[in-house]
Amino acid sequence: MKVLASDFDNTLYFKHGSHFKVEDIHRIKQFQQDGHLFGICSGRPFSGLLKSLEGILEPDFYIVSTGGAILNKDYQLLYGKKVPFDTICEIYLTYKNETELIVQTLSQNHFYCTKAEGREDTTIIHHIDEMKSEDIYSISLINSTESRATEITSQINQKYNDVQAFQNIDSIDIVAKGCSKGAAILKLKELFCLKKVAGIGDSYNDLSMLEITDTSFTFHQSPLIIQDTADFIVNNIKEAIDILDKQL
């Protein structure tokens, strides 16, 4: 059995057009029908994945919130590590005037943010204190610039010992210390008794996944550091699965 963990945005899902590449979806379903596993490894909240995948694809597992939680295909929580509320509250107060906030729980129906997204699965909050009673697995600071996101990521990682920040182009994903997409892949192997897992992604927060997976893929348009880390540079997920199928 072969296993492929895929990033979501700009890897499987694209903002423009029909969102998904028809050839990718067809090849993934064929891969699953052949007895292999395909799952998502994303910085998105759980609800953000479910709404987009509804009627399109049924992954075999979900790694969400940049490795903060792992769920099986039946949406059962297999592993999770919550972020310390006091720390993320302080981070929010530090950067609230220059970024927007997304707060990620494991709700299947909605996520929380300080910006009107115009989506039915969005719940607007005015201050992170409104989330004090919730189980939070990640927060994201969004709508920055790529250069400023680099600075903020560095500042957070230098200042705090109980959380870790990952840059995702022009946004910053913040999880509990020890969580990452790569750490979640190792946990996935343990939970599913897997010998090998392949990974595909396009952005900086995918680096730990691409470093830890046994076979890794990225795209020709990915940042150079991502291309240098991956084993194969491909045009789409279909091409990655074709390569996987040829491996022993």
Side-chain angles (χ1 to χ4, degrees), residues 6-230:
S6 173
D7 175 47
F8 193 68
D9 290 286
N10 300 315
T11 296
L12 175 64
Y13 178 90
F14 303 88
K15 290 183 179 180
H16 305 293
S18 57
H19 299 309
F20 297 93
K21 295 180 179 179
V22 174
E23 61 269 30
D24 283 348
I25 299 302
H26 176 77
R27 190 67 180 90
I28 290 166
K29 289 181 177 180
Q30 184 182 47
F31 184 71
Q32 292 175 299
Q33 289 168 3
D34 289 340
H36 307 301
L37 300 181
F38 177 87
I40 303 298
C41 187
S42 175
R44 276 200 186 204
F46 190 41
S47 64
L49 293 175
L50 293 181
K51 292 293 183 181
S52 298
L53 289 167
E54 187 175 8
I56 303 293
L57 195 64
E58 296 181 3
D60 297 294
F61 58 85
Y62 300 84
I63 296 172
V64 299
S65 300
T66 315
I70 303 174
L71 302 96
N72 64 16
K73 65 180 180 181
D74 298 317
Y75 308 164
Q76 296 172 320
L77 179 65
L78 304 179
Y79 169 82
K81 192 172 182 181
K82 292 175 281 189
V83 290
F85 184 80
D86 288 346
T87 299
I88 59 176
C89 186
E90 184 177 326
I91 291 171
Y92 161 74
L93 292 174
T94 301
Y95 299 104
K96 69 183 183 70
N97 291 329
E98 59 175 310
T99 64
E100 301 289 343
L101 175 73
I102 291 178
V103 182
Q104 303 193 14
T105 68
L106 294 184
S107 168
Q108 296 180 22
N109 302 311
H110 54 100
F111 64 94
Y112 304 87
C113 66
T114 55
K115 177 187 176 183
E117 289 274 326
R119 293 169 39 155
E120 62 181 18
D121 57 340
T122 301
T123 296
I124 303 301
I125 60 173
H126 299 94
H127 194 284
I128 198 168
D129 279 347
E130 298 174 42
M131 303 298 300
K132 195 168 187 177
S133 62
E134 299 285 343
D135 291 336
I136 302 173
Y137 292 88
S138 174
I139 64 168
S140 296
L141 304 176
I142 65 171
N143 291 343
S144 184
T145 64
E146 184 170 351
S147 60
R148 182 59 179 142
T150 300
E151 294 174 352
I152 293 174
T153 300
S154 177
Q155 289 169 2
I156 292 172
N157 286 332
Q158 288 177 22
K159 184 174 181 179
Y160 300 98
N161 295 319
D162 53 359
V163 296
Q164 190 161 354
F166 295 92
Q167 183 180 357
N168 188 9
I169 308 298
D170 59 355
S171 63
I172 305 98
D173 300 322
I174 302 159
V175 291
K177 192 72 173 181
C179 291
S180 68
K181 288 189 176 185
I185 293 294
L186 292 177
K187 192 66 178 179
L188 182 79
K189 283 186 170 184
E190 177 186 328
L191 291 168
F192 283 75
C193 299
L194 303 171
K195 291 183 178 180
K196 292 185 177 182
V197 174
I200 184 167
D202 73 301
S203 190
Y204 300 114
N205 67 343
D206 295 312
L207 273 173
S208 63
M209 174 177 67
L210 299 181
E211 289 169 346
I212 209 70
T213 45
D214 300 278
T215 305
S216 57
F217 303 91
T218 193
F219 307 106
H220 297 279
Q221 66 271 23
S222 300
L224 288 179
I225 189 173
I226 313 298
Q227 294 188 39
D228 290 341
T229 302

Side-chain angles (χ1 to χ4, degrees), residues 226-244:
I226 313 298
Q227 294 188 39
D228 290 341
T229 302
D231 296 317
F232 296 94
I233 300 176
V234 295
N235 293 302
N236 49 40
I237 292 176
K238 175 189 179 300
E239 188 175 321
I241 293 177
D242 289 342
I243 292 171
L244 274 182

